[in-house]
Amino acid sequence: MRTLSLPLALTARISPVVVLAAAGWVLTSGPAATPAPQKESAPQSAGRPSSDGGASAAATTKRYSAAPAPCGSIGAATIKSLVPGAKTAGKEIPSTDPALRRTCSWNALKGYDYRWLDVSFEITESDAAAAKSYKENVTAKSGGGTVPGVGDAGYSVVNLTTEDKQQTREGVVMIQASNALVTVTYNGSDFESKKAPATDEINKGAIKAAKEAVAALESGQKA
C-alpha cells in the first residue's frame, strides 16, 4: 500500500472534531434573526377587541423552548451507513448558549474514504424569526431545491469543490420547523481516487439525517 500525502485542506478536515464541527457550524448556521421591536399599541376600550390581535399572536408563535440533544437525534444505523467507522455516540460541540444552539458531529476515515456529518439545532424567538433566518440562509446557498414533507420548509443543496486535485462533495439541508432551525451538513472524499462521492449519495444521505433530526426535535421538549 502506497503512502498518501493528503492535501492541506483535507488534512484539516480530519483534525480534531471540535475544529471541524466549529467550521461546519459557521458555514451552515447563521445567527437567528431577531424580530424588529413592536410598537406598543394604545389601550383598547372595554368591549372592543384589538384589531391586530391575531397578527400579533401569529408573529410570536413559539413551539419549541430548547434544543434537543443533537448526538441522540440520529439513529446508530444511520450513522454507521453515512459515516462508516465513526463512533455512533458522536461528539457534541461546546455552545455559548446550549439551551438554544446545539451541534453534534461525526467523522471518520475508513481506508481511503472520508465522511463528515454534523447536525445543528437552533431555537429562535418565534416562527417569524425562524422563517426569516431560513430564507436568508437559503438565499446565501442558492442552486439547490426544496425538500418536501419535512418541517414547515426544507431546502437542500450539494456542491463540489476541488483543491490540489482532490474532490470533496458537500450537501447541506436546512429545515424550518416552527421556531426551530435544523441544519445538516454531510460531505465526503476518496483520498485514493481523488474523486468525490456521487451527488445523489451525498444529497440522499443529508436528507435522511435531516428527517431523523426533525423527528427527534418534534418528539422532544416543547414550549
Side-chain angles (χ1 to χ4, degrees):
M1 180 179 296
R2 58 191 175 87
T3 301
L4 296 178
S5 176
L6 303 185
L8 179 59
L10 291 170
T11 301
R13 284 186 177 276
I14 54 176
S15 296
V17 67
V18 173
V19 175
L20 285 171
W25 174 256
V26 171
L27 290 173
T28 59
S29 298
T34 304
Q38 298 181 352
K39 295 182 179 180
E40 294 183 355
S41 57
Q44 299 293 317
S45 301
R48 293 181 58 192
S50 171
S51 60
D52 64 349
S56 297
T60 57
T61 300
K62 182 177 181 179
R63 184 178 185 188
Y64 301 104
S65 61
C71 293
S73 65
I74 308 297
T78 298
I79 296 301
K80 290 178 181 179
S81 173
L82 298 183
V83 194
K87 294 182 179 180
T88 57
K91 172 68 175 181
E92 183 163 359
I93 308 308
S95 171
T96 55
D97 192 345
L100 300 180
R101 300 178 187 86
R102 299 180 72 176
T103 299
C104 188
S105 184
W106 299 260
N107 71 89
L109 177 64
K110 186 173 183 180
Y112 295 100
D113 289 326
Y114 173 71
R115 294 293 185 275
W116 170 32
L117 170 72
D118 71 30
V119 177
S120 298
F121 294 94
E122 182 172 359
I123 306 302
T124 68
E125 295 180 356
S126 66
D127 287 16
K132 181 179 179 182
S133 184
Y134 169 82
K135 290 178 181 178
E136 291 173 348
N137 291 337
V138 167
T139 299
K141 291 184 174 293
S142 61
T146 60
V147 178
V150 187
D152 297 315
Y155 179 80
S156 174
V157 62
V158 178
N159 289 306
L160 176 68
T161 59
T162 303
E163 186 169 346
D164 296 332
K165 298 182 180 181
Q166 173 66 62
Q167 295 182 343
T168 299
R169 182 164 273 118
E170 178 173 277
V172 178
V173 176
M174 295 175 280
I175 306 292
Q176 181 218 339
S178 188
N179 63 306
L181 297 170
V182 180
T183 303
V184 170
T185 304
Y186 180 49
N187 68 41
S189 302
D190 185 320
F191 292 160
E192 183 173 35
S193 69
K194 292 188 176 295
K195 300 295 184 181
T199 298
D200 197 50
E201 177 186 342
I202 293 297
N203 191 47
K204 287 183 176 179
I207 291 174
K208 178 177 176 61
K211 288 181 176 179
E212 291 191 20
V214 172
L217 171 72
E218 293 175 343
S219 63
Q221 181 180 3
K222 298 178 182 179

